[in-house]
Amino acid sequence: DVIQPQLAAGRRVLVVAHGNSLRAIIKHIDGISDEDIVGLNLPTGVPIVYDVSADGTPSNRRFLGDEDAIQAAMDAVKKQGSAHK
């Protein structure tokens, strides 16, 4: 209700949120299932860029930044859920 009208007006939109909030937005935009969204690894502090067509349909999602740094950030997020023995 908020983001789509801004995109339709040709504006760029910046959303800053916690990983779980971002997962909810990505789930809605990309039509990801409940089962699959759980496995989406969002590296902390790495911007996600969506390319949006003229009709407002997202055509591409990508992380913005150095690929090695992004992978390291994703690995760090993955390890957060690991139990230490």
Side-chain angles (χ1 to χ4, degrees):
D1 292 339
V2 176
I3 297 170
Q4 187 65 31
Q6 298 298 315
L7 294 173
R11 295 187 178 104
R12 291 185 179 178
V13 178
L14 174 66
V15 176
V16 180
H18 185 272
N20 287 334
S21 299
L22 292 173
R23 277 184 192 83
I25 293 170
I26 292 169
K27 181 181 185 309
H28 177 74
I29 291 172
D30 290 348
I32 298 174
S33 71
D34 291 344
E35 295 78 22
D36 290 341
I37 197 65
V38 175
L40 180 64
N41 186 343
L42 298 178
T44 303
V46 177
I48 301 169
V49 177
Y50 273 93
D51 295 320
V52 181
S53 65
D55 68 357
T57 305
S59 58
N60 186 36
R61 172 174 41 100
R62 66 187 184 285
F63 294 112
L64 185 62
D66 176 75
E67 289 184 30
D68 291 334
I70 292 168
Q71 187 60 54
M74 291 176 82
D75 291 344
V77 168
K78 189 182 290 186
K79 289 178 185 176
Q80 288 175 357
S82 300
H84 299 289
K85 295 182 181 184

